[in-house]
Amino acid sequence: MTSHPSSAPAAGTGAGAGSTSGTQHLITQAYFDDVLAENADLFDIDTTATEGQEQALSETIDQLSSQGMALDHLCVEFHPNSEEGRAVRERRGELETALATLDGLVQGDGGIREFENEQEVDGVLAALRAVASACSGGDGSGGDGTGRGSIGAYPALALFKSTESIFTLMSLLGIVPLPTSTTGTLDGNDCADISNDREKILKATCQTLSSILSPPSASSIRFSNGGSCDRPELVKKIRAIKAEIRDSFVAFDRLVGLIDLYTLAATKGMDQAHGILTDLANLATAACGGCEKNKVTFVRAGKEKVGGGSCGIESPASTAEITPGRDSSGGISAVVSVLSLPVTTMDTSSAAGTKMLASYCKLLAVLCRFDDFRNPPSNEGGGVGGMPSPDIAVSSAHDHVLEFNRNGIIPVLHEVTRFALNEVGGNEGGSSGHTSSTTSLELAAAALSATRTLAVNDEIVQALVAVGGLKSARIALVAGVGVGEGAGGAEESKMQQGQLRALTSSSLGLIRNLCGNDEIKTNLCLGTADNNDETSTVLPTIILAMRRYRSDPVVQEHGCATLAAMALRKPANAKKIIDEGGPMEVLTAMRQLPNVVPLQRQGALAVRNISSRLIKMAEAEQSGKVDTSISVGGGTEAIPSVEARDTFLDLGAESVLRDIAGKHQGSVDEAYAALRDLGCQVSMVRYDAESTHASGSRGVRGVAMFGESKARFNPVFEESDALEEAVERL
């Protein structure tokens, strides 16, 4: 085997590519192919045959890997003599050319040079499309990437990372200049001076960055060999390298500035503002999702500047709800400003405007939800606020919710929700087309999902109820389970059914959070005495939603969690749930989705909360110790003896709790408590994988439960001469 110096030709300026460590060296595709050819000549390998090509590739990969070379960014699956190898290398060369084209636009100071002609603008747009396509597994020319010529998403992303092209694309966000006046304020001239070509490049840049930074799903990955790759492992690798690229995104000040700029443009009636604002929101969502550090940076962006926003735009939110003396600028103020557009100047009949609002509702939900479950090494530092980075990311979700609340988001978001639900109601009558219907449903689902993330304490919950949040949740849930029941098998109906499913899930999630308040959950479960449609019980609709969307794990989890919350400490609610058939729906959901651990946990909690107090009250009634009547609808009603226990056991709750929920680490405690309250004999055991019996089975030992055994100590004080002597000797 030939030897090569470790100082191989570098392919980029990064320390490594993909999952490579900082000690690995980057090499070019040409260098790899030269070594491949040299090895074939040295060992007389016939590379005209497939077997010889595979042998030469294997030998070369082993050699270069042992020398500390990074290969993730190279095309190493196919030999250059094969038809596939030539096509893949051609596509890789086109990707390198596209990246070089974009890099050539950036000047030394980070600015973007002027374009010479219209053809150069078209070339830049084509380069951005090629990068986006290649990094998603396409062939770089708009193809689907499932045939020959695709280099694959992971090698393309590794090449993108190794060349540090993320900094080139961040510089391209400056293609539209922000105001440079000392006051930082905007006026109509700032919007009018933006050229159309620059806006096209800005939109394409945002879309390319969004596709690169967004986490992948198994169904979205396309493979260069027709799909024979190990799909879960590849998705894991792609998700990891996307996270590394996302962590290096730092252009949040410019991103917030652009949002402020085009918010003003929307108020001035600029036609393209809504579409550009949507692209900016999608980019912010992709950059912040799964990274708490980026969320904090986005929220703080532009806060050092004076004025309502990073470009001096006054937020339409009521300034009375902002703490006096507190700077209301930054990413949160920018989001509130955009969501305030429908109640000020935006043309709400525009489909582009509806999509824009939905995108900012999704961004709000990302900022107010913790989703960074990575474990960054402590020794790398770089924690939030200059502190050392902890082993687990610190959630900023609660702080962001409170800041949104101070910026007056609740009435603004309620207006967005009400507008979307009104549009959904209009479509029921057939006044609008399919496109308007689906976008309105998407907006309603996104707005309700965002509202749910805000319901973190009783003060905010009360504020949501005060502006009409309960009414909106009821209307949305009814629409989700009732609209389109007679739809046929057309493609439009399938799309709308997906949106209805999302609307149902979002409204159930909001009701679930609102049920944290005892008074609200009782009104939602039992209704009020006046029997008004707006205050009637929502429980039958929840049961209907669980029946209609049995295969949806999110709907089922929210349904079980809502029933569990309603029944907690409220026997009257628990009895109502039993009367409406709640136990059957909970156990059916647990049977049909046995591997969804959050659902199993919420289902076990629902079984326990519904049954425990009713069983104890029935037992107390049988013993004649206490009066077990409960308040129902303004009167009193006695609890039938052992009804709750018999109801669950007759439906097979014991087997479900033992054999399904009890086998998951995330739901075993809840299953144990539910079985215990149902009166079943149950004990917890621990499986020891290291110790095995002679038969080969794993060792099993019991779990010591608090209070099961008496402590071994003598409670009586006895004097001891030996103790006194020992003390004297000290």
Side-chain angles (χ1 to χ4, degrees):
M1 184 69 63
T2 58
S3 61
H4 297 274
S6 59
S7 57
T13 57
S19 60
T20 60
S21 65
T23 59
Q24 289 183 307
H25 303 281
L26 292 174
I27 60 175
T28 63
Q29 183 71 50
Y31 180 81
F32 176 85
D33 292 343
D34 288 343
V35 176
L36 182 65
E38 187 175 347
N39 287 338
D41 292 340
L42 181 63
F43 294 99
D44 294 328
I45 301 176
D46 182 11
T47 56
T48 60
T50 303
E51 183 178 353
Q53 294 173 358
E54 293 176 352
Q55 179 185 355
L57 283 170
S58 177
E59 293 284 351
T60 304
I61 291 172
D62 291 342
Q63 172 196 351
L64 295 177
S65 297
S66 65
Q67 294 176 354
M69 305 298 178
L71 305 178
D72 288 338
H73 62 296
L74 303 177
C75 299
V76 297
E77 273 191 78
F78 304 106
H79 196 278
N81 290 347
S82 66
E83 183 178 353
E84 294 88 348
R86 288 191 294 271
V88 167
R89 282 161 176 77
E90 181 181 353
R91 294 302 182 196
R92 187 183 187 279
E94 293 173 356
L95 176 58
E96 288 182 316
T97 301
L99 293 175
T101 299
L102 298 177
D103 192 55
L105 297 174
V106 183
Q107 297 175 325
D109 59 354
I112 306 300
R113 64 174 176 81
E114 294 293 333
F115 300 109
E116 297 180 358
N117 48 49
E118 190 70 24
Q119 288 73 22
E120 187 176 15
V121 174
D122 294 339
V124 172
L125 295 174
L128 288 168
R129 288 193 297 268
V131 172
S133 176
C135 290
S136 63
D139 61 6
S141 62
D144 60 6
T146 57
R148 296 174 177 175
S150 170
I151 68 175
Y154 184 72
L157 287 167
L159 176 61
F160 181 87
K161 178 177 179 291
S162 68
T163 56
E164 298 185 341
S165 296
I166 182 68
F167 296 101
T168 299
L169 293 189
M170 285 192 291
S171 296
L172 279 177
L173 292 176
I175 192 74
V176 173
L178 296 177
T180 57
S181 63
T182 56
T183 60
T185 56
L186 290 172
D187 56 36
N189 294 329
D190 295 307
C191 305
D193 292 341
I194 302 174
S195 71
N196 190 40
D197 290 340
R198 289 181 174 269
E199 286 185 340
K200 288 180 181 178
I201 294 177
L202 175 63
K203 283 179 62 66
T205 301
C206 291
Q207 293 167 2
T208 300
L209 278 169
S210 298
S211 66
I212 293 173
L213 301 181
S214 299
S217 61
S219 60
S220 66
I221 303 300
R222 299 180 293 224
F223 307 105
S224 59
N225 61 355
S228 63
C229 295
D230 184 11
R231 194 175 286 259
E233 184 63 27
L234 179 60
V235 172
K236 183 178 179 180
K237 290 176 64 178
I238 293 177
R239 180 173 284 110
I241 194 172
K242 277 176 171 277
E244 293 179 24
I245 297 173
R246 181 195 60 218
D247 291 345
S248 63
F249 183 87
V250 294
F252 290 104
D253 279 312
R254 175 156 295 277
L255 185 56
V256 172
L258 288 169
I259 292 174
D260 282 338
L261 175 63
Y262 281 96
T263 302
L264 177 64
T267 65
K268 301 295 183 181
M270 181 178 173
D271 294 337
Q272 299 179 351
H274 296 158
I276 296 176
L277 281 170
T278 301
D279 292 328
L280 292 169
N282 292 337
L283 173 55
T285 301
C288 294
C291 183
E292 288 298 302
K293 177 177 69 68
N294 284 3
K295 294 177 187 179
V296 172
T297 307
F298 176 83
V299 169
R300 294 178 177 177
K303 283 204 168 190
E304 70 279 4
K305 298 179 181 179
V306 179
S310 64
C311 290
I313 296 178
E314 185 70 23
S315 172
S318 174
T319 56
E321 299 190 22
I322 302 175
T323 304
R326 178 182 176 85
D327 184 10
S328 62
S329 64
I332 285 180
S333 176
V335 173
V336 175
S337 297
V338 177
L339 291 175
S340 300
L341 287 176
V343 295
T344 54
T345 59
M346 195 190 76
D347 179 11
T348 53
S349 64
S350 168
T354 304
K355 291 180 180 179
M356 178 199 69
L357 293 174
S359 66
Y360 280 87
C361 287
K362 295 174 183 177
L363 174 57
L364 188 156
V366 166
L367 293 174
C368 296
R369 181 191 303 123
F370 178 76
D371 55 4
D372 189 353
F373 300 103
R374 300 171 298 167
N375 295 323
S378 301
N379 56 1
E380 290 188 2
V384 176
M387 300 297 291
S389 178
D391 289 335
I392 299 178
V394 178
S395 174
S396 57
H398 189 74
D399 292 337
H400 294 170
V401 169
L402 297 182
E403 187 164 350
F404 267 115
N405 188 37
R406 287 191 292 266
N407 278 268
I409 188 60
I410 291 178
V412 171
L413 194 56
H414 176 65
E415 286 299 317
V416 173
T417 306
R418 191 172 69 170
F419 157 68
L421 292 176
N422 287 339
E423 288 293 299
V424 171
N427 290 329
E428 288 182 12
S431 61
S432 300
H434 164 68
T435 301
S436 177
S437 173
T438 55
T439 54
S440 298
L441 287 170
E442 180 185 4
L443 174 58
L448 289 167
S449 180
T451 304
R452 183 201 170 201
T453 63
L454 297 174
V456 298
N457 58 40
D458 194 63
E459 177 186 354
I460 295 179
V461 168
Q462 293 287 359
L464 289 172
V465 174
V467 298
L470 275 181
K471 179 181 178 181
S472 297
R474 292 173 186 270
I475 295 174
L477 184 59
V478 171
V481 299
V483 176
E485 288 183 347
E491 194 66 30
E492 291 84 1
S493 298
K494 291 181 181 179
M495 182 182 299
Q496 193 173 35
Q497 287 299 316
Q499 298 292 353
L500 290 172
R501 184 187 300 263
L503 180 62
T504 303
S505 174
S506 300
S507 56
L508 267 179
L510 176 57
I511 292 174
R512 171 185 177 177
N513 281 29
L514 294 178
C515 284
N517 181 285
D518 286 348
E519 181 181 356
I520 292 174
K521 73 183 183 184
T522 299
N523 291 337
L524 287 170
C525 183
L526 303 179
T528 57
D530 56 8
N531 292 323
N532 191 317
D533 289 341
E534 295 184 2
T535 59
S536 61
T537 174
V538 75
L539 183 58
T541 314
I542 294 175
I543 300 299
L544 179 60
M546 296 180 69
R547 289 173 182 166
R548 179 167 183 183
Y549 301 111
R550 290 203 184 278
S551 62
D552 191 302
V554 180
V555 170
Q556 297 301 319
E557 180 196 346
H558 285 332
C560 290
T562 303
L563 297 181
M566 284 181 171
L568 182 63
R569 301 186 304 271
K570 294 293 180 180
N573 294 358
K575 182 180 183 302
K576 180 71 172 178
I577 292 171
I578 291 178
D579 293 341
E580 293 290 341
M584 170 67 77
E585 299 309 316
V586 171
L587 296 174
T588 300
M590 297 176 72
R591 286 191 184 97
Q592 292 196 349
L593 300 167
N595 296 320
V596 182
V597 179
L599 166 62
Q600 297 300 324
R601 180 177 182 274
Q602 295 301 327
L605 283 173
V607 172
R608 184 190 183 194
N609 292 352
I610 294 170
S611 62
S612 59
R613 292 219 175 184
L614 294 180
I615 292 173
K616 290 179 180 179
M617 292 177 67
E619 291 174 348
E621 183 186 25
Q622 288 180 341
S623 64
K625 294 181 180 179
V626 295
D627 179 15
T628 59
S629 60
I630 60 175
S631 175
V632 178
T636 59
E637 183 175 330
I639 302 297
S641 300
V642 299
E643 176 186 340
R645 176 184 288 124
D646 291 346
T647 297
F648 279 104
L649 293 180
D650 290 345
L651 292 172
E654 183 175 0
S655 63
V656 172
L657 292 169
R658 287 186 189 275
D659 301 333
I660 301 177
K663 291 187 176 181
H664 296 291
Q665 187 67 33
S667 58
V668 61
D669 292 334
E670 291 76 11
Y672 172 85
L675 286 167
R676 180 194 60 200
D677 289 350
L678 288 174
C680 303
Q681 292 295 324
V682 60
S683 62
M684 296 184 69
V685 297
R686 178 180 291 114
Y687 290 91
D688 192 348
E690 296 181 357
S691 62
T692 57
H693 298 295
S695 61
S697 60
R698 289 184 298 173
V700 179
R701 53 193 175 95
V703 178
M705 306 299 291
F706 180 79
E708 286 184 349
S709 60
K710 294 183 179 180
R712 296 181 179 179
F713 70 95
N714 188 355
V716 180
F717 173 75
E718 296 179 355
E719 293 186 358
S720 172
D721 295 336
L723 178 61
E724 292 180 358
E725 294 175 359
V727 172
E728 291 177 356
R729 287 196 299 269
L730 292 177

